[in-house]
Amino acid sequence: MANTIRVIQYGCGPIGCGIAVLAARRPDIELVGAFDIDPEKVGRDLGELAGLDQRLGVTVTDDLHGLIGRTNPNLAFLTTSSQLNVVIPQIQALLQAEINVLSSAEELSFPYREAPQRAALLDAVAKEHGVTVLATGINPGFLMDAWPLFMTAPCQTVEQVTVTRVQDASPRRLPFQKKIGAGLELDEFQRLVDEGTLRHVGLAESAAMIAAGLGWDLDEIIEEIFPVVAEEPVRSQYIAVEPGQAAGVRQMAHGFERGKEHITLDFQAYLGAADPRDEVEIAGNPPVHVVIKGGTHGDVGTAAVIVNSARRVLEAPAGLLTMMDLPLVACKVRGTEPAMVH
């Protein structure tokens, strides 16, 4: 197919495998290689790692330089970490090889407020080599930032943006359930919060993106994290939660300007959530209130947003971009094929 995107998958965990499998099904994308440093994954077929009944013909390697030389990719899906300090050297190596980067790193989705110097560095390196960097996913990247911004289009004025995401974490992958603290005693939950290891990464970045998109200059963004305490036994495929234990997490970000809260982001993920939904409420003229009943599956949605953004990234100008900088991203594949869920 003309203008086929030659892609390597960098990082072959559950999210990376989900992205790779979806990419392999797209007629305009050729999955040419996969990289991971985990010796348990090196040498295995990516289809096997993804739990498919068929091989994808892509063998995982830990030799990035050799992989790039053999496959000549023009795009890498990077799914290794949420943290900037981890992904920056990985991204720089790809940029210096003149490879565009599409990452799931949450802290990279809108780094200009929290890490302006790092953002400037990546932007400069990308422009020097004529390629593009974008971090996106379902959240951050869409549900709690890009989508709310798009929903302000019919408003003449906007006073406040409130976004609520409630997920039943029961069908999610085990690493996600662990990440939200499901099954922990409350003192252990709080200890991990205090250490900074139990939190949804990207909520502050989403608030900052909304503010930038609306031209607001926030004075501060305050985050709060609480356990959602189980009132009755609840279990997933992986974890059993007893009453009094944490079933998951509730995390909020509040964006203030001149002492008034103009942005409220409410993220809830816990086993057995009774009313899962994605909801945006805009106080403005006219007011806007939209709800996705049942919510959006995070793993499936993340893979889709990243793969659907691939063509836009290749067509974009060089540099570090955010979802605000891209033309509208849409799915151009028709059908109802069941999604692969880890």
Side-chain angles (χ1 to χ4, degrees), residues 264-315:
T264 305
L265 305 184
D266 186 352
F267 174 88
Q268 303 176 42
Y270 57 99
L271 303 190
D275 183 23
R277 66 194 185 278
D278 291 300
E279 183 174 8
V280 174
E281 189 165 5
I282 299 164
N285 179 28
V288 175
H289 188 190
V290 289
V291 179
I292 301 175
K293 294 182 178 179
T296 307
H297 193 291
D299 298 345
V300 174
T302 290
V305 172
I306 288 178
V307 173
N308 289 335
S309 300
R311 178 69 61 185
R312 293 300 195 194
V313 166
L314 260 64
E315 295 171 345

Side-chain angles (χ1 to χ4, degrees), residues 111-136:
Y112 306 105
R113 182 183 178 93
E114 298 296 325
Q117 293 181 336
R118 292 176 176 180
L121 170 65
L122 281 181
D123 185 60
V125 175
K127 288 177 177 175
E128 177 185 356
H129 294 280
V131 287
T132 302
V133 182
L134 175 77
T136 190

Side-chain angles (χ1 to χ4, degrees), residues 91-107:
I91 292 172
Q92 285 182 291
L94 293 167
L95 299 180
Q96 289 164 357
E98 298 185 354
I99 300 171
N100 298 276
V101 178
L102 232 173
S103 176
S104 62
E106 290 94 334
E107 289 186 348

Side-chain angles (χ1 to χ4, degrees), residues 168 170 182-183 228-237 239-243 245-248 270-273:
D168 179 4
S170 300
V228 177
V229 181
E231 297 181 357
E232 57 186 35
V234 61
R235 67 172 51 244
S236 71
Q237 177 184 352
I239 295 175
V241 179
E242 299 300 326
Q245 293 180 327
Y270 57 99
L271 303 190

